[in-house]
Amino acid sequence: MRADQSSVLTSSWFSHFWSSSLRSKPLSPVSETSVRTNSGEGLVRRLSLFDLLLIGIGASIGAGIFVVTGTVAKDAGPGVTISFIVAGGCCVLNALCYAELASRFPAVVGGAYLYTYSAFNELTAFLVFSQLMLDYHIGAASIARSLASYVVSLLELIPLFKGNIPDWFGHGHEVLGALSINILAPILLVLLTIVLCRGVGESSVLNSIMTITKVIIVLFVIIVGAFEVDVSNWTPFAPNGAKSILTGATVVFFAYVGFDAVANSAEESKRPQRDLPLGIIGSLLICVVLYVGVCLVITGMVPYKFLGEDAPLAEAFTSKGLKYVSVLISFGAVAGLTTTLLVGLYVQSRLYLGLGRDGLLPAIFAKVHPTRHTPVHSQVWVGIIAIILAGLLNVRVLSHILSVGALTGYSVVSACVVTLRWKDKTASQVSTRWISKSAEGIICLLTIACCGFAAGVFYRFGASIVFMILAAVIAISCAAALYLRQVYADPPGFSCPGVPILPAISIFLNIFLFAQLHYEAWVRFVILSIITVGIYAFYGQYHADPVSSNASIIYHRAPAEEAE
């Protein structure tokens, strides 16, 4: 008897888990400005298009523009310019997908998590959140440590401090392997967290000042360096062939990661439907131009074989007798890291806010300060995690498991664009023989992702090109099936061109890059996914409420809908 009861309870639990995990957010065609948290207070719309552009640039360009350009150029040569253009082109595909969804759901925070919750289901959205959040947590701690190190380097330019600052204060002092003490990084995180808690206006001003400073320094570096360029250094343009350029593109792709931060500013944008797409795409294009300019300068100033490892751009200017530019680069690195860290902490708190509203996390994360209009509890929580990681751990050793969340999020967002287009048409839900068109479309999207991973693995381990061509052919066939067998609706607001082909290409390329990551990143993806499912099984499924008044998605109504 007890065995029968236990079997019934187990069956009931799995039934509830299955039905809960497949829930999705309903679409509610109401005003952009009507979103409020449980307390009746929402975030305040203070961000202009200019602010959004600076958020995107601030999140994408850190100290890496002064380092990664030269390190990749050591292998790709002057062809590193093409590497950045190719990687930028891939990111533009992702940006177009983000722009459509940001325009479609302009009223609430959540970004990739929000889009996934609407297009697919609750569990998939929670998985996307966890992968993104681990990237953000480790990334914030790592950036804080790098920022502390650069600040100490600037202080040591003053004779009084040179050689008198202990390692444990800013550079980090290793104690037991992964344990490494750093005092300055937590102090900087506390200061930035306070700024973010005070309000989006204050944090936006700081981000604007630092981002403008950074861009001015980068432009100054490009202009000064242009007068030192020797065009003979650009020959040969691709000394190690096209493969080194493609490999370089897989590396520098992550230099553009960050433009998606604009999508998480939806609830604080003054004119979200117009400004979010422009902010996402505009900030990315500006970053592409800046990166290409730095690449042309650094490879033109010094033969690629003689570029340094740690600070290639600074060393290039020093070799030309322009040491003051090297000092300026250090200031630019501090400004760049500050904005990257500030925006990263900002985005994390908004994601926690979204999950708190939906019930997937405790309600405390959904609270917004009644006068500051910021999610203070979420912001403090994010700051505490970053402070612990940056102050006690050598998080740089974990850098090779980063970018999993970004590539996962980008791929799912691209798939969301496709599914939401035909989810609006009831024809896609009607069964044809033994499978519905909706299920058929999802199978095609998953097959494209698998083909991208297979092609990436074949490329990584030097397999015959025949296998890569076979994977590409299968992916093309699935993209053709998506195009021919589904009916697509025109979305309100900005429309991503070339649906479903462009999102399909985006998914293929993202997962191709996923296959280039360290194998430990693959392990991290699997382990974190298992942990996330466990958290959802024992907490999320019982507390989530996607149809509550605070959780329903709000999108901007098309003119036709408003007329009705």
Side-chain angles (χ1 to χ4, degrees):
M1 186 70 176
R2 290 181 179 178
D4 291 340
Q5 288 179 338
S6 176
S7 177
V8 170
L9 288 174
T10 301
S11 176
S12 175
W13 185 88
F14 277 109
S15 176
H16 184 273
F17 174 84
W18 184 251
S19 62
S20 298
S21 64
L22 294 180
R23 291 182 299 206
S24 61
K25 257 184 183 289
L27 303 179
S28 301
V30 295
S31 169
E32 289 182 1
T33 59
S34 64
V35 174
R36 292 294 181 265
T37 61
N38 294 330
S39 63
E41 295 293 333
L43 303 178
V44 177
R45 297 190 178 278
R46 294 177 177 172
L47 301 178
S48 65
L49 174 58
F50 185 66
D51 293 324
L52 295 176
L53 286 170
L54 293 181
I55 286 175
I57 297 169
S60 299
I61 295 184
I65 192 169
F66 305 116
V67 179
V68 71
T69 46
T71 54
V72 175
K74 282 186 68 68
D75 183 50
V80 67
T81 307
I82 305 300
S83 296
F84 271 95
I85 293 174
V86 170
C90 293
C91 280
V92 167
L93 300 181
N94 290 302
L96 289 170
C97 295
Y98 260 97
E100 174 173 320
L101 297 181
S103 174
R104 186 167 184 162
F105 307 131
V108 276
V109 296
Y113 154 78
L114 173 74
Y115 311 147
T116 308
Y117 206 163
S118 173
F120 292 105
N121 54 64
E122 193 168 279
L123 181 57
T124 304
F126 197 39
L127 287 166
V128 168
F129 164 81
S130 66
Q131 296 292 345
L132 282 171
M133 197 49 63
L134 184 60
D135 268 16
Y136 279 126
H137 284 319
I138 297 175
S142 180
I143 292 168
R145 284 210 158 209
S146 297
L147 177 58
S149 182
Y150 269 103
V151 169
V152 169
S153 298
L154 285 178
L155 290 175
E156 288 180 337
L157 294 175
I158 304 172
L160 177 64
F161 294 111
K162 188 172 180 62
N164 295 322
I165 301 178
D167 286 343
W168 52 263
F169 181 76
H171 292 299
H173 177 69
E174 290 192 13
V175 180
L176 293 171
L179 186 63
S180 176
I181 306 300
N182 190 309
I183 302 299
L184 184 56
I187 293 174
L188 296 172
L189 283 165
V190 168
L191 294 174
L192 291 179
T193 299
I194 291 173
V195 170
L196 288 164
C197 287
R198 285 186 61 83
V200 69
E202 290 80 354
S203 57
S204 177
V205 168
L206 177 60
N207 179 68
S208 297
I209 293 172
M210 300 300 280
T211 301
I212 291 171
T213 301
K214 170 177 59 180
V215 172
I216 289 174
I217 291 175
V218 172
L219 291 174
F220 180 80
V221 166
I222 293 173
I223 293 170
V224 172
F227 290 98
E228 302 293 334
V229 166
D230 181 357
V231 292
S232 64
N233 290 330
W234 289 336
T235 305
F237 191 74
N240 296 316
K243 185 173 182 179
S244 65
I245 293 177
L246 181 58
T247 302
T250 65
V251 175
V252 304
F253 175 88
F254 306 106
Y256 292 110
V257 170
F259 63 85
D260 52 307
V262 178
N264 289 284
S265 307
E267 201 170 321
E268 290 156 294
S269 170
K270 291 179 180 178
R271 302 181 62 182
Q273 191 174 38
R274 186 203 69 170
D275 291 350
L276 289 176
L278 292 175
I280 291 169
I281 298 173
S283 61
L284 177 59
L285 293 178
I286 292 171
C287 291
V288 172
V289 172
L290 294 177
Y291 274 120
V292 169
V294 171
C295 288
L296 290 172
V297 165
I298 193 172
T299 55
M301 288 177 63
V302 179
Y304 75 95
K305 293 180 180 178
F306 301 112
L307 289 171
E309 289 285 350
D310 297 325
L313 194 60
E315 292 175 15
F317 278 98
T318 302
S319 68
K320 296 291 185 179
L322 299 170
K323 192 170 184 179
Y324 75 94
V325 180
S326 301
V327 176
L328 200 60
I329 288 172
S330 296
F331 280 101
V334 169
L337 288 168
T338 301
T339 59
T340 304
L341 183 56
L342 183 73
V343 175
L345 295 172
Y346 166 83
V347 169
Q348 291 177 58
S349 68
R350 270 56 182 177
L351 284 171
Y352 273 108
L353 171 64
L355 269 84
R357 285 175 174 174
D358 294 336
L360 287 167
L361 290 178
I364 191 172
F365 291 109
K367 292 184 178 180
V368 175
H369 194 278
T371 57
R372 297 292 179 186
H373 299 284
T374 57
V376 174
H377 296 89
S378 296
Q379 198 67 70
V380 171
W381 167 255
V382 166
I384 289 173
I385 293 177
I387 287 168
I388 293 173
L389 292 176
L392 299 177
L393 300 177
N394 183 11
V395 289
R396 291 177 185 174
V397 301
L398 301 176
S399 60
H400 54 269
I401 70 169
L402 290 176
S403 301
V404 174
L407 290 173
T408 302
Y410 289 173
S411 301
V412 175
V413 166
S414 298
C416 288
V417 170
V418 177
T419 58
L420 285 172
R421 287 281 192 99
W422 36 260
K423 212 168 186 180
D424 290 337
K425 294 288 186 178
T426 55
S428 66
Q429 305 291 330
V430 177
S431 296
T432 57
R433 292 182 298 180
W434 60 277
I435 189 172
S436 69
K437 282 192 175 182
S438 176
E440 178 185 310
I442 291 175
I443 291 172
C444 287
L445 291 170
L446 289 172
T447 304
I448 291 170
C450 291
C451 288
F453 185 78
V457 170
F458 293 145
Y459 173 81
R460 177 172 179 171
F461 295 104
S464 171
I465 194 173
V466 174
F467 294 106
M468 286 185 280
I469 293 175
L470 178 62
V473 168
I474 296 174
I476 291 171
S477 300
C478 290
L482 286 172
Y483 179 77
L484 296 172
R485 293 185 56 78
Q486 301 291 339
V487 180
Y488 295 91
D490 293 328
F494 178 85
S495 177
C496 174
V499 174
I501 303 303
L502 188 148
I505 295 172
S506 179
I507 293 170
F508 185 90
L509 293 176
N510 289 334
I511 304 301
F512 179 92
L513 291 172
F514 183 95
Q516 310 310 309
L517 298 177
H518 197 279
Y519 76 93
E520 290 184 11
W522 304 352
V523 175
R524 160 243 156 121
F525 177 82
V526 174
I527 293 176
L528 182 58
S529 296
I530 294 172
I531 293 172
T532 302
V533 172
I535 295 173
Y536 178 79
F538 291 101
Y539 181 87
Q541 67 165 320
Y542 300 110
H543 296 84
D545 186 7
V547 297
S548 69
S549 59
N550 295 319
S552 59
I553 291 182
I554 295 165
Y555 72 94
H556 190 278
R557 289 184 290 183
E561 291 175 306
E562 292 175 348
E564 293 174 2

